[in-house]
Amino acid sequence: MGVTIHAKSDSELTSIDALYYVQSPSHSQQHDVEKMSYGSSPFGSPTHHYHCSPIHHSRESSTSRFSASLKNNQLAVWKRIPRTRNYDDNETRADDDEEEDVDYDNGKSVRFYVLCFLFSFIVLFTIFSLILWAASLPFKPKIFVKGMVFENLNVQAGIDWTGVQTDMLTLNSTVRIYYRNPASFFGVHVTATPFELHYYKLKLASGQMKKFYEARKSKRIVVAVVEGHQIPLYGAISVLLDAKNRIQSVSLPLNLTFLIRSKAYILGRLVNPNFSIHISCQLTLKGNHLGKHINFTNSHSCTYS
């Protein structure tokens, strides 16, 4: 019967070792546990000399080994649990670090591709804009002055704004301008500086052309009014001193100047070529041609720059 208990103890020890396979305690620890086991048992006390049978001794030794083995296994379990948890924590941390590294690398890759896309888009858009700008340069608007009509001219005595008596001039005229936009893929917005009519350095009349929009491949005739009202002469124009009562005999050299600007908006305000042309026309005002059209088309009276 003692043998049976001993066999059962060995099997239990085997099953426990199979379930918890860890580092067993050292020889010194096992010896201490056995001492504690024998010391705590009344049969293992060295102060009693108790003689027993071999069967009883075998039971006692078997029971002691079984209790010592259980205690050793308990110590092994207590050692195993934190080690396993530490391993799992380290593995989890390693997985988290790997995931963070992967996420960081993916973020860097996405930012790199976005920057490459933006840079490529800017470069391509700039090249495309330059191509459009260069393609628009040959389509400069065609502008020339067709003629001018002086409708009336009047010189009479008067007083300027300071109270000085002098001759005062009143002049009314219209200028006709031919404008054509030859561009096939953009329209233009057209403005102009004031039209000024000078007798040498003395300004006699001025006017303003209305701004307009000219569509692609289109043309028009622009009419601007140039007039002067009660312009003090102060004796500067000698040919008008004796012309108050005989205007038809007046022959007065004049100079007409203005600037026309044309601006296109091809890609909004990103590509907007500008075309400017300065026009200066030399003409003679004759009193006997009032109300008649002065033709500039077939003459070289106007310069364009």
Side-chain angles (χ1 to χ4, degrees), residues 129-170:
S129 301
L130 291 175
I131 291 173
L132 288 178
W133 178 79
S136 66
L137 294 181
F139 296 99
K140 189 175 182 179
K142 307 297 182 183
I143 305 172
F144 62 87
V145 181
K146 289 181 67 67
M148 189 171 182
V149 178
F150 288 96
E151 282 142 10
N152 63 62
L153 175 64
N154 186 22
V155 179
Q156 61 183 10
I159 300 174
D160 66 0
W161 60 277
T162 61
V164 177
Q165 293 185 354
T166 182
D167 292 332
M168 312 292 286
L169 181 142
T170 299

Side-chain angles (χ1 to χ4, degrees), residues 89-109:
D89 292 339
N90 293 332
E91 184 177 2
T92 304
R93 290 177 183 175
D95 293 338
D96 292 338
D97 293 339
E98 291 179 358
E99 290 178 358
E100 290 178 358
D101 293 339
V102 170
D103 293 338
Y104 180 73
D105 293 338
N106 291 334
K108 289 180 62 178
S109 300

Side-chain angles (χ1 to χ4, degrees), residues 108-119:
K108 289 180 62 178
S109 300
V110 170
R111 288 194 295 269
F112 175 75
Y113 289 129
V114 169
L115 291 176
C116 289
F117 173 77
L118 291 176
F119 179 76

Side-chain angles (χ1 to χ4, degrees), residues 8-174:
K8 185 176 179 180
S9 299
D10 292 337
S11 64
E12 289 178 357
L13 288 173
T14 306
S15 62
I16 292 173
D17 291 336
L19 289 174
Y20 300 94
Y21 179 74
V22 293
Q23 183 180 359
S24 61
S26 61
H27 179 73
S28 60
Q29 292 176 349
Q30 186 175 1
H31 182 68
D32 294 337
V33 171
E34 289 179 355
K35 277 185 177 182
M36 292 173 61
S37 177
Y38 282 108
S40 61
S41 176
F43 299 100
S45 177
T47 57
H48 296 86
H49 300 278
Y50 180 76
H51 299 278
C52 61
S53 64
I55 296 175
H56 184 75
H57 179 73
S58 62
R59 286 182 182 178
E60 186 178 299
S61 60
S62 179
T63 303
S64 300
R65 285 196 303 269
F66 179 73
S67 62
S69 299
L70 286 178
K71 290 182 179 181
N72 291 336
N73 287 328
Q74 288 177 356
L75 291 174
V77 169
W78 281 108
K79 289 185 178 181
R80 173 185 174 275
I81 290 174
R83 290 182 181 178
T84 305
R85 289 181 179 177
N86 290 334
Y87 176 77
D88 293 338
D89 292 339
N90 293 332
E91 184 177 2
T92 304
R93 290 177 183 175
D95 293 338
D96 292 338
D97 293 339
E98 291 179 358
E99 290 178 358
E100 290 178 358
D101 293 339
V102 170
D103 293 338
Y104 180 73
D105 293 338
N106 291 334
K108 289 180 62 178
S109 300
V110 170
R111 288 194 295 269
F112 175 75
Y113 289 129
V114 169
L115 291 176
C116 289
F117 173 77
L118 291 176
F119 179 76
S120 302
F121 176 78
I122 292 172
V123 171
L124 292 176
F125 185 78
T126 303
I127 294 174
F128 180 69
S129 301
L130 291 175
I131 291 173
L132 288 178
W133 178 79
S136 66
L137 294 181
F139 296 99
K140 189 175 182 179
K142 307 297 182 183
I143 305 172
F144 62 87
V145 181
K146 289 181 67 67
M148 189 171 182
V149 178
F150 288 96
E151 282 142 10
N152 63 62
L153 175 64
N154 186 22
V155 179
Q156 61 183 10
I159 300 174
D160 66 0
W161 60 277
T162 61
V164 177
Q165 293 185 354
T166 182
D167 292 332
M168 312 292 286
L169 181 142
T170 299
L171 176 65
N172 189 11
S173 64
T174 57

Side-chain angles (χ1 to χ4, degrees), residues 285-300:
L285 170 60
K286 294 182 178 181
N288 57 357
H289 283 78
L290 291 177
K292 296 181 181 180
H293 179 72
I294 302 175
N295 190 4
F296 295 155
T297 304
N298 298 324
S299 65
H300 300 284

